[in-house]
Amino acid sequence: MVRWQATHCANTLNVCLGHKPFPDKFRHHVDVMLSPRPLLSPFQTVVVDDNKFGQHGSSLSEYSQLIWLYDHFLKVINDYEYVRIFQYRRFVSPNDIGNVCSHPWAKWTKARDISRYDDAFRRACSGEMFNHPFGFPETVLGQYKNTHIEDDILNFARFLVESNKFSHSDESAFLNSVKLIPACNMGVFKTSTLLWLLAELKDASQFMNTKYFTPRPGYQRRVTGFLLERLNSYLLLNKYSGHRRYGFHTIIADGPNIETTTNISS
């Protein structure tokens, strides 16, 4: 295992997730790329296949790459104090930048303009930073069932209770929360925070190997990833309740109408 070195005296490792590479012109912002498939790119890429984590591993989506990071944490992170995680077309900016788009919780910017936002990728960090929480009109349960299958999040919550990861009050708070951090696995994390968070998420990912799990086709195939995202947000909001440590969700796009991953050509 290689120890990735960002820059001399840097305290922050920049990790990018994606089935596509970060824009090539700005590859200097990426220290290591975690991808579900080989990429034709100059990045130092670790390929974490969808099926690495068993029969239903593909349901994890990008959490496959994050669980791999947890499993190799000490060798990859080494003595870095912070880890910045971003995606091939999304990042967290410390400044409110970009333009209004179809996602009310985010702004968009063209790839060519990333040079304006070097501060969003700096490798000398002094604190944590996550995307701003967003208040949806419904609870997390209501928001989930609008775009996914309601039984899945109810079964996930039941699994968390019956495996002693949640109390019944935790279950209620999780399902009835009115705030969610979109793309909550991105941001700047203290290494201790990220290690704790990924341990919790890996443990919860065992849901896909239990009687509570139902495999889904098409877009819903990534069901465990969708559920872990909600848990990820819940854990961060609980840990940092009342603290202001939020940045701004920025999407790299060609225009304000943001497509879902399923509509983006591979």
Side-chain angles (χ1 to χ4, degrees):
M1 179 67 63
V2 177
R3 194 279 198 195
W4 286 277
Q5 179 62 48
T7 57
H8 183 60
C9 296
N11 71 348
T12 305
L13 185 74
N14 282 356
V15 176
C16 184
L17 309 176
H19 66 281
K20 293 183 177 181
F22 200 65
D24 183 67
K25 185 177 178 182
F26 304 101
R27 64 191 185 199
H28 56 280
H29 290 316
V30 179
D31 298 318
V32 60
M33 184 88 196
L34 300 179
S35 176
R37 65 190 187 194
L39 298 175
L40 294 175
S41 80
F43 300 116
Q44 182 170 224
T45 303
V46 174
V47 177
V48 184
D49 187 86
D50 276 348
N51 297 316
K52 181 176 178 63
F53 296 101
Q55 180 183 4
H56 303 303
S58 62
S59 73
L60 287 166
S61 189
E62 64 199 32
Y63 282 92
S64 291
Q65 285 75 59
L66 290 171
I67 291 172
W68 180 93
L69 181 62
Y70 173 76
D71 288 343
H72 299 85
F73 201 83
L74 294 179
K75 291 182 179 179
V76 175
I77 306 305
N78 204 307
D79 58 355
Y80 285 106
E81 187 178 357
Y82 294 94
V83 179
R84 171 180 281 103
I85 296 177
F86 53 104
Q87 298 174 12
Y88 76 99
R89 65 171 187 146
R90 299 172 188 265
F91 60 94
V92 183
S93 171
N95 305 305
D96 189 3
I97 61 176
N99 305 289
V100 173
C101 69
S102 55
H103 291 348
W105 54 85
K107 297 283 186 71
W108 76 278
T109 188
K110 289 183 179 292
R112 70 187 183 200
D113 293 330
I114 295 175
S115 57
R116 300 179 185 177
Y117 313 128
D118 284 350
D119 197 43
F121 302 97
R122 62 190 175 91
R123 293 179 172 90
C125 292
S126 59
E128 294 182 300
M129 181 180 66
F130 315 115
N131 276 325
H132 268 284
F134 185 79
F136 286 89
E138 314 91 347
T139 62
V140 165
L141 173 60
Q143 185 272 335
Y144 190 89
K145 70 181 182 181
N146 281 344
T147 51
H148 306 297
I149 298 169
E150 182 180 12
D151 282 351
D152 291 335
I153 194 169
L154 293 175
N155 285 333
F156 181 60
R158 189 173 301 117
F159 158 76
L160 293 174
V161 170
E162 295 190 9
S163 57
N164 297 315
K165 297 173 179 62
F166 263 9
S167 66
H168 286 290
S169 60
D170 291 329
E171 177 187 27
S172 177
F174 172 60
L175 294 174
N176 294 301
S177 173
V178 294
K179 286 189 176 181
L180 180 71
I181 303 177
C184 49
N185 57 31
M186 298 194 310
V188 177
F189 299 82
K190 285 185 178 179
T191 53
S192 57
T193 299
L194 187 59
L195 188 62
W196 158 76
L197 182 62
L198 293 182
E200 294 288 330
L201 296 173
K202 180 179 180 179
D203 202 24
S205 74
Q206 291 307 306
F207 165 75
M208 66 184 179
N209 299 319
T210 69
K211 64 183 180 181
Y212 303 97
F213 175 80
T214 302
R216 304 293 184 188
Y219 178 62
Q220 301 299 336
R221 171 183 63 85
R222 299 181 291 165
V223 54
T224 307
F226 297 142
L227 295 168
L228 291 180
E229 181 179 22
R230 271 68 181 183
L231 179 60
N232 189 342
S233 172
Y234 177 77
L235 292 171
L236 285 177
L237 287 171
N238 273 3
K239 183 176 178 67
Y240 293 116
S241 176
H243 290 264
R244 294 180 60 87
R245 53 182 79 230
Y246 298 113
F248 299 90
H249 187 164
T250 310
I251 302 175
I252 302 167
D254 294 324
N257 185 28
I258 306 301
E259 294 182 277
T260 61
T261 303
T262 51
N263 293 330
I264 297 172
S265 60
S266 56

